[in-house]
Amino acid sequence: MTLRGVARIAPMLAVAWAVQASPGSAQRVASDTLRADSTPDTRVEPVVVASKPFAESFLLAELFAQRLESVGIPVDRRPGLGATDLAFRALRTGAIDIYPEYTGTGLTAILGLEPEGDAADVYSVVSTAFMDRFGVRWMPPLGFENSYAIAVRPETADSLGVRTLTDLSRVSERLIAGFSPDFIGRPDGLPGLADRYDLTFADTRPLLQSVKYPALDEGAVDVIDGYTTDGGLDRYGLVVLTDDADFFPPYQAAALLRPELSADRPDVVAALAPLSGRLDAPTMRRANRQIEVDGRSPAGVAADLLADLALGDGASTEAVPSALARPDGLGSFLWARRGDTARQTLRHLWLVAIALGAATLLAVPLGVALARRPGVAEPVVRATGLLQTIPSIALLAFMIPVFGIGAGPAIVALFLYSVFPILRNTWSGVRDADPEAVKAARALGMTEGQILLRVRLPLAAPVVMAGVRVSAVIAVGTATLAAFIGAGGLGDPIVAGLALSDERLILSGAVPAALLALLVDLGLSRVESAVRPRGLVEG
Amino acid sequence: MALVGESGSGKTTLLRCFNALVVPAGGDVHVRGRPVGSADPVALRRSMGYVPQHGGLIPHWTVGRNVALVPTLLAHPDAEAAARRALRMVGLPPDEFVGRWPRRLSGGQRQRVALARALAAEPDLVLMDEPLGALDALARADLRRELGTLIHESGVTVLLVTHDLHEAAALADRITVMRGGRVLQSATLEALRSDPASRYVTELLDRGLETAATP
């Protein structure tokens, strides 16, 4: 496998292995019924319910979805969309209809405003501003707040005498922080927090939600950011430091509705309305704990919540496939999921094949054309090279306003990534094909067309294939990220597993993805050898 | 006819004017009494042979296909027979060589194949650009001797670019001395010696023949 390919896949695997190290895995039950198909109903357009990639967001989305289904509204579930930016972009542009969001996030991360006032003030600011600026409607809050919780181990709290964030500032230089990448970057996250409390950590490590708690417990980091409703806070007996300078705004959870949804679908609004004000923080902590610690599925926990509120259809009981319920090892888990894995692998290959095929069809003729136009070639090749430098998630995010969510934008993004290696290799392979032979062929009276077809292209073929091979391996790796915009494939179990702290689920996507990359690389290396003209081969 | 001069004196550029790979900024080049500028360049090139310094064999073609190139381009009825005949002319047994790949040839064999390729369509003019320049001394002496015989027996006109006066003296009837893009003198070796156009010609002759005579 090429170095670039390894570099693309390595982070996924690193995540998977890091997560595997967390304890308690054997007691987990897979949470894998998230993409259960909604009731098919051809007469009514299904409502697209999405979530961000963490457990509580999955749970709330499932709650909305089951509530809608209980009154007969068909639902299309798209759990685990990228993060705030991706999910909100998808909502604004109408690619999704509903997702759960928090008022504090809306205020600071989306509107870019300073937190001010109490929970009711913040709700009134965001609901007015969102309607005015985006046409997006906030449903009334569900009833609980889920703010950031800066937590330390009890030993740290006792030995250093830390109880508040102001206390933390005295000792922060001796501590290693493990924060989520989202938190590190958001103005209402670390930058603002460090500024307000004058915090300087010895080191700040970006950690995903699912690995933070075990990392803190094992002493790899000393301070983490959690959510106040996280099940992990209780489970590890952590100390949450008081936000004594009131840095964090109120984070009330509520359903966000896309523009025009209230007008188009009053039935949806009416169905969701009874959820408002019905969920308190202890209820949510318990529910999150059932998912994150006990390994129950968001669908099952949501069904129980709806039943408690007497808002369900009474029929939803947790339907965990019996094979998944057994607390067995990774092998039997993977075996039990083989049907899903096969389906997701095919989907993955399909995404990659279409993108790669289109890229090859464009890049090979373009590369040949550029080989004869040195003036234009450099800028064009450099421009496609620039595409390569756009981070995958950002490129996927750019796709949403134009192509919505799902397979379309994912294929376009993979296509854009695939063009450069093929184009560069075709261009240089054709241009640099044995110059002595080309000169002699021309001097003996071959036309430029004959030289291209009979001399340059055959000599360039293995170089072109090497480019296709690099693109293919990159595409297989990058396609796992396509799950963040709802494209499916082997990224699905990775995203769901990361959100639900289920390392077996992560591995069930990461391992096949890595194997797929190796196989694709191996297969294409065979093709590369096959197109190498005889006479150039040793022996 | 040989074109001699130091590197950068314009010998190769002048040679390329003959097969229209270079269009002269001024003046006319005539081949067979007709100006090159008015001829179809592709047809013109097919009508003359060409031997570059490093052979310029097409690496993914067999020796046979390489040698048959020009007859094939000219839709010669039996290009393969022409190729075999040309290989024999340069001393390579066709049965042994037609199926070989260029990378499996020695330097001397490669230049012989290039020579065969230039001769295969029986042109009346062959352009050679330092055809022996990349060979070691022994192979060069061998091939130079054979080349001399070949040129005299076949009666083909050769325009030879070389920086080696000894080679020019051995192969050419007339020697054209170039310097700085200009022709200084064009004459037989004897005439160059007895009646040099400038001191440079004499110096070049003394220097070149001394060094070349003691390889």
Side-chain angles (χ1 to χ4, degrees):
Chain A
M1 171 146 50
T2 59
L3 207 59
R4 293 187 72 129
V6 172
R8 288 293 173 124
I9 299 201
M12 290 295 10
L13 292 177
V15 164
W17 279 314
V19 169
Q20 194 187 23
S22 79
S25 63
Q27 301 307 315
R28 300 275 169 79
V29 173
S31 316
D32 192 40
T33 49
L34 294 165
R35 270 180 188 274
D37 288 335
S38 54
T39 322
D41 188 333
T42 48
R43 287 161 303 169
V44 191
E45 189 85 343
V47 175
V48 182
V49 178
S51 81
K52 296 200 277 185
F54 54 89
E56 186 172 280
S57 197
F58 274 59
L59 173 62
L60 293 176
E62 193 56 48
L63 200 69
F64 300 156
Q66 289 185 20
R67 172 62 191 154
L68 293 174
E69 284 169 347
S70 74
V71 299
I73 298 170
V75 171
D76 184 4
R77 290 169 170 78
R78 297 294 177 104
L81 290 190
T84 306
D85 183 48
L86 275 175
F88 184 65
R89 207 181 277 246
L91 185 84
R92 241 175 94 182
T93 54
I96 60 175
D97 294 318
I98 302 169
Y99 84 93
E101 190 50 282
Y102 302 87
T103 53
T105 306
L107 185 75
T108 54
I110 298 174
L111 294 175
L113 298 177
E114 289 286 321
E116 212 177 322
D118 63 12
D121 295 338
V122 170
Y123 178 79
S124 111
V125 169
V126 293
S127 54
T128 310
F130 271 57
M131 185 52 78
D132 291 351
R133 278 176 58 180
F134 313 116
V136 167
R137 175 166 170 191
W138 285 83
M139 291 289 287
L142 294 165
F144 69 94
E145 281 189 34
N146 185 5
S147 186
Y148 281 108
I150 305 302
V152 296
R153 284 184 301 278
E155 306 89 84
T156 313
D158 292 343
S159 64
L160 298 176
V162 182
R163 284 290 180 273
T164 66
L165 288 171
T166 303
D167 295 341
L168 184 66
S169 67
R170 286 187 287 106
V171 296
S172 63
E173 282 174 9
R174 280 184 275 161
L175 302 177
I176 297 172
F179 294 144
S180 60
D182 202 30
F183 185 77
I184 292 173
R186 280 164 56 160
D188 59 329
L190 183 60
L193 183 76
D195 198 40
R196 175 72 60 90
Y197 286 104
D198 194 21
L199 300 174
T200 319
F201 294 105
D203 190 12
T204 302
R205 301 193 179 141
L207 290 181
L208 287 162
Q209 185 64 17
S210 50
V211 298
K212 265 187 299 204
Y213 287 100
L216 180 64
D217 190 50
E218 287 159 16
V221 296
D222 305 308
V223 186
I224 63 166
D225 66 308
Y227 302 120
T228 49
T229 53
D230 277 353
L233 295 173
D234 280 352
R235 180 176 177 217
Y236 293 101
L238 302 176
V239 174
V240 175
L241 304 179
T242 314
D243 179 18
D244 49 337
D246 289 328
F247 170 72
F248 291 115
Y251 288 86
Q252 289 187 291
L256 267 191
L257 307 184
R258 73 153 165 85
E260 309 302 329
L261 186 74
S262 336
D264 298 348
R265 299 296 299 267
D267 55 330
V268 170
V269 179
L272 293 179
L275 289 172
S276 295
R278 298 292 297 277
L279 299 169
D280 58 17
T283 305
M284 285 309 292
R285 238 189 319 267
R286 206 162 49 238
N288 285 334
R289 197 188 150 103
Q290 287 175 1
I291 296 172
E292 292 173 354
V293 181
D294 304 336
R296 292 191 64 200
S297 75
V301 175
D304 288 356
L305 279 178
L306 284 175
D308 291 348
L309 298 174
L311 291 173
D313 55 9
S316 316
T317 49
E318 184 160 7
V320 179
S322 59
L324 299 184
R326 277 187 282 117
D328 287 343
L330 180 63
S332 48
F333 177 78
L334 293 180
W335 180 247
R337 276 196 91 252
R338 64 192 182 281
D340 287 335
T341 304
R343 191 173 44 76
Q344 284 158 347
T345 304
L346 282 179
R347 170 86 172 179
H348 204 90
L349 268 178
W350 176 75
L351 292 172
V352 170
I354 293 182
L356 195 66
T360 307
L361 286 180
L362 172 79
V364 171
L366 184 60
V368 168
L370 289 179
R372 295 185 60 179
R373 289 167 188 79
V376 202
E378 286 282 354
V380 172
V381 173
R382 210 164 287 164
T384 59
L386 275 182
L387 283 175
Q388 213 75 2
T389 64
I390 303 173
S392 325
I393 285 286
L395 185 61
L396 291 170
F398 296 151
M399 295 291 137
I400 290 183
V402 191
F403 299 102
I405 61 168
I411 288 172
V412 174
L414 292 176
F415 164 81
L416 291 176
Y417 277 127
S418 298
V419 167
F420 175 66
I422 306 176
L423 180 69
R424 183 198 47 199
N425 277 29
T426 306
W427 166 61
S428 67
V430 168
R431 184 195 54 181
D432 302 337
D434 197 329
E436 297 286 335
V438 167
K439 262 188 251 169
R442 188 179 295 128
L444 287 165
M446 282 180 92
T447 63
E448 292 305 316
Q450 288 169 331
I451 291 173
L452 179 66
L453 285 178
R454 300 188 202 166
V455 182
R456 289 186 191 272
L457 277 178
L459 289 175
V463 185
V464 174
M465 269 317 297
V468 173
R469 193 173 146 197
V470 169
S471 286
V473 173
I474 291 174
V476 169
T478 310
T480 54
L481 297 173
F484 280 122
I485 57 169
L490 289 167
D492 263 2
I494 298 177
V495 169
L498 285 174
L500 305 174
S501 312
D502 187 333
E503 59 270 29
R504 292 186 306 176
L505 201 50
I506 297 171
L507 286 175
S508 75
V511 170
L515 288 178
L516 194 61
L518 286 171
L519 280 176
V520 164
D521 190 55
L522 186 71
L524 290 179
S525 80
R526 291 270 169 84
V527 178
E528 194 181 320
S529 306
V531 299
R532 188 180 300 279
R534 289 183 64 207
L536 299 187
V537 188
E538 287 290 339
Chain B
M1 155 99 105
L3 296 173
V4 298
E6 297 170 78
S7 1
S9 62
K11 336 181 270 288
T12 296
T13 305
L14 180 57
L15 183 82
R16 289 175 171 202
C17 290
F18 282 86
N19 59 4
L21 285 174
V22 171
V23 177
D28 286 328
V29 176
H30 290 254
V31 170
R32 304 181 195 101
R34 293 182 50 204
V36 166
S38 70
D40 166 32
V42 168
L44 181 76
R45 290 171 199 158
R46 288 175 186 179
S47 77
M48 53 182 86
Y50 176 73
V51 183
Q53 183 175 2
H54 297 282
L57 301 183
I58 295 168
H60 61 293
W61 289 9
T62 59
V63 165
R65 191 173 172 201
N66 263 289
V67 177
L69 171 64
V70 185
T72 308
L73 290 173
L74 293 171
H76 197 292
D78 196 348
E80 198 185 327
R84 291 176 153 268
R85 190 171 56 244
L87 281 171
R88 268 193 298 272
M89 282 171 72
V90 299
L92 298 175
D95 289 337
E96 194 183 323
F97 281 88
V98 281
R100 281 221 207 162
W101 298 109
R103 58 174 292 123
R104 314 288 297 166
L105 301 173
S106 71
Q109 288 169 339
R110 198 166 300 157
Q111 289 309 99
R112 281 167 204 266
V113 173
L115 191 58
R117 182 172 65 175
L119 297 170
E122 301 181 344
D124 53 1
L125 172 62
V126 176
L127 310 179
M128 299 189 186
D129 191 353
E130 302 275 13
L132 311 178
L135 300 179
D136 60 58
L138 210 60
R140 188 185 313 179
D142 272 357
L143 195 55
R144 182 167 64 209
R145 200 161 39 244
E146 287 182 47
L147 198 53
T149 318
L150 195 66
I151 292 171
H152 289 292
E153 282 177 1
S154 65
V156 65
T157 303
V158 172
L159 188 56
L160 172 78
V161 161
T162 179
H163 65 278
D164 180 348
L165 255 177
H166 202 66
E167 191 175 302
L171 296 174
D173 316 318
R174 283 170 70 85
I175 295 174
T176 298
V177 180
M178 294 190 66
R179 189 189 193 194
R182 312 184 69 86
V183 171
L184 293 183
Q185 191 171 8
S186 188
T188 62
L189 182 62
E190 290 69 30
L192 289 180
R193 276 214 182 102
S194 59
D195 189 16
S198 71
R199 281 190 56 80
Y200 178 79
V201 173
T202 313
E203 278 170 24
L204 191 75
L205 284 174
D206 293 346
R207 202 154 28 115
L209 288 175
E210 263 168 34
T211 52
T214 52

